[in-house]
Amino acid sequence: MKEKLLISACLCGKNTKYNGKNNLLLKLSDLEKSFDLHLICPEVMGGLPIPRDPSEIKGDFVFSSQGKNVTKEYQLGAQRALRIALKNDIRIALLKESSPSCGSFQVYNGEFTHEKIPGEGMTTKLLRKHNILVFNENQITDLLNFIK
C-alpha cells in the first residue's frame, strides 16, 4: 500500500494559484508512483476565489495586496487541510514554498516587494504542530528518499 501524501493542488497542475495558474511539478509522475495523493488548496478551502489578490503574511496576520485582512480565510483553510490529513492518517505533506499558506522555510516579507524572509505559512505551521512532516517542491528527492 502506498504512503499517503497531502499535496498542494497547484503542484499537481490545478489552476488554484492567486493568478489562476498552477505550479505543475515535472516530477509529478514520480510522486504518483510512490504516493496516494490527496490534493488541497488551503486558500480555496478557506473561501478565497480564483483568481484572487496576492496575499502575504505580516506578523500574525495575512493581508491581500489591496490591504484586506484575509487571516480568517487562511486559518480556516489550514484547519480544513489539517482535518483532511488527520481523517486520512496522512503524516507527510508536499506544499508550495513561499506561499502564505504553504511556505515551509520562507514566505514573502509582507511588504509586497517580492522579497522573501525565513518563515512558515499558516497551513505548514498548523500541520507541523500536529507532527505532520512538510516538504516543499525543492525537496522532492529528499521526500522520495524518506519513504524508502
Side-chain angles (χ1 to χ4, degrees), residues 35-50:
F35 293 99
D36 176 15
L37 303 181
H38 292 256
L39 280 59
I40 61 163
C41 178
E43 290 95 335
V44 174
M45 293 163 52
L48 294 172
I50 305 167

Side-chain angles (χ1 to χ4, degrees), residues 58-113:
K58 181 95 172 165
D60 291 331
F61 300 96
V62 183
F63 292 96
S64 77
S65 60
Q66 301 304 307
K68 182 179 178 192
N69 185 335
V70 290
T71 306
K72 287 182 183 177
E73 290 87 344
Y74 277 77
Q75 289 171 333
L76 178 59
Q79 292 165 357
R80 288 180 171 168
L82 175 63
R83 260 189 248 132
I84 289 169
L86 295 176
K87 180 182 175 186
N88 292 286
D89 296 318
I90 298 172
R91 61 186 191 103
I92 307 171
L94 177 63
L95 304 179
K96 177 69 181 112
E97 186 60 273
S98 306
S99 155
S101 283
C102 300
S104 57
F105 294 108
Q106 60 185 8
V107 294
Y108 288 95
N109 69 358
E111 301 291 330
F112 298 93
T113 58

Side-chain angles (χ1 to χ4, degrees), residues 4-54:
K4 296 175 185 176
L5 181 69
L6 197 68
I7 186 169
S8 294
C10 65
L11 297 177
C12 295
K14 303 295 181 193
N15 294 327
T16 56
K17 282 180 60 170
Y18 74 93
N19 61 7
K21 297 182 180 178
N22 66 67
N23 295 302
L24 178 62
L25 291 173
L26 296 176
K27 294 186 175 185
L28 183 60
S29 62
D30 293 343
L31 292 170
E32 289 172 326
K33 289 175 191 169
S34 301
F35 293 99
D36 176 15
L37 303 181
H38 292 256
L39 280 59
I40 61 163
C41 178
E43 290 95 335
V44 174
M45 293 163 52
L48 294 172
I50 305 167
R52 58 189 167 274
D53 292 328

